[in-house]
Amino acid sequence: MSDTTTLPMIKTKPKTERPKLYKVILLNDDFTPRDFVVSVLKGIFRMGEGEALGVMLTAHQKGACVVAVYTKEIAETKARQGTELGQKHGYPLTFTTERES
Ligand code: TYC
């Protein structure tokens, strides 16, 4: 008789969890100057002039524009920094965040 025991093979599939992503959304308003919006997009979201201009114009024309997508903490930090920079200069500039579907 053999002493070996046969065990059922259990395969554990390694789970590679993808981090949840969040959009940063720029909202239009009637008061923040266009060039100020562009400078905030360049400073906080590391955009070049052309891209920043395009995002600002889309928000201006459509009411809102997705600026970028990040993990939760980075999205919330950048949205807060952008909104606070507007407040510091007396503007109602607002960035929000939204979970990506
Ligand atoms: N609508 C503003 C204006 O006419 C400019 C603006 C654009 C403000 C985009 C906010 O997210 C914004 N001065």
Side-chain angles (χ1 to χ4, degrees):
M1 263 268 237
S2 166
D3 284 340
T4 54
T5 320
T6 309
L7 295 167
M9 196 171 68
I10 301 163
K11 280 188 183 167
T12 50
K13 192 177 168 194
K15 277 206 191 100
T16 43
E17 302 278 344
R18 280 179 292 113
K20 295 175 188 73
L21 295 177
Y22 288 74
K23 294 178 279 196
V24 176
I25 299 161
L26 168 66
L27 304 182
N28 185 39
D29 67 73
D30 292 336
F31 304 99
T32 309
R34 291 178 185 213
D35 59 352
F36 184 82
V37 180
V38 169
S39 73
V40 171
L41 291 170
K42 286 162 76 176
I44 291 174
F45 298 93
R46 303 261 145 243
M47 288 183 180
E49 180 76 22
E51 190 185 2
L53 206 56
V55 167
M56 181 279 293
L57 281 175
T58 300
H60 177 72
Q61 288 160 1
K62 300 196 169 185
C65 182
V66 175
V67 177
V69 175
Y70 302 103
T71 52
K72 190 171 199 279
E73 190 159 341
I74 295 172
E76 286 174 351
T77 299
K78 287 189 182 274
R80 181 173 36 77
Q81 287 172 338
T83 301
E84 283 178 1
L85 202 51
Q87 286 170 353
K88 209 177 112 184
H89 290 80
Y91 300 132
L93 182 66
T94 305
F95 292 86
T96 60
T97 61
E98 196 178 286
R99 167 91 190 271
E100 271 226 309
S101 39

